[in-house]
Amino acid sequence: MFGAANESSYYTDFAVKSFRIYLCMMILACVNKACFIFLQAVGKALASTMLSLFREVVFGVGFALLLPMFFGLDGVLYSMPVSDILTFFIAVFIIWNTYRKLNTEGDETA
């Protein structure tokens, strides 16, 4: 469809490679989305928005511009998995702090 008949295997190979790299951290992306929703639900909309902003704009765009300098075209594909990993660690830290604050507030009222 996009090239000569003898080139179609190259497109298929690149598509498979792209899907494997770009989607390899999809589980962490799902955990991150759950953290965004949880933070909104407990009234921490600013933290949720900032976390989402960091994932999509700061890390996603930043690494899409930075990683190709070192890894070429693969750097663009690795930008979102790296963003998901870093956002996961930040989300765990924020959720841990939020949970700790909710526990201390619950102890004070009891």
Side-chain angles (χ1 to χ4, degrees):
M1 180 172 154
F2 296 106
N6 57 353
E7 293 179 345
S8 65
S9 65
Y10 296 120
Y11 293 114
T12 304
D13 292 342
F14 182 73
V16 169
K17 178 182 178 180
S18 298
F19 277 112
R20 286 185 178 159
I21 292 173
Y22 196 79
L23 299 175
C24 68
M25 291 295 149
M26 187 53 60
I27 291 181
L28 291 184
C30 293
V31 170
N32 291 335
K33 295 291 184 184
C35 289
F36 303 160
I37 293 167
F38 172 76
L39 289 170
Q40 287 177 2
V42 297
K44 306 278 186 190
L46 180 63
S48 174
T49 303
M50 294 306 292
L51 200 57
S52 181
L53 181 76
F54 267 97
R55 180 186 181 269
E56 298 295 334
V57 178
V58 176
F59 292 149
V61 174
F63 285 127
L65 296 173
L66 181 69
L67 291 179
M69 292 183 205
F70 303 104
F71 300 107
L73 182 60
D74 288 346
V76 176
L77 300 176
Y78 283 113
S79 66
M80 285 316 289
V82 171
S83 299
D84 288 333
I85 291 168
L86 292 176
T87 305
F88 174 76
F89 287 123
I90 294 171
V92 166
F93 178 75
I94 291 173
I95 294 293
W96 181 72
N97 281 338
T98 302
Y99 182 73
R100 194 172 47 135
K101 286 178 185 176
L102 290 174
N103 273 345
T104 57
E105 289 174 8
D107 292 340
E108 292 173 1
T109 59

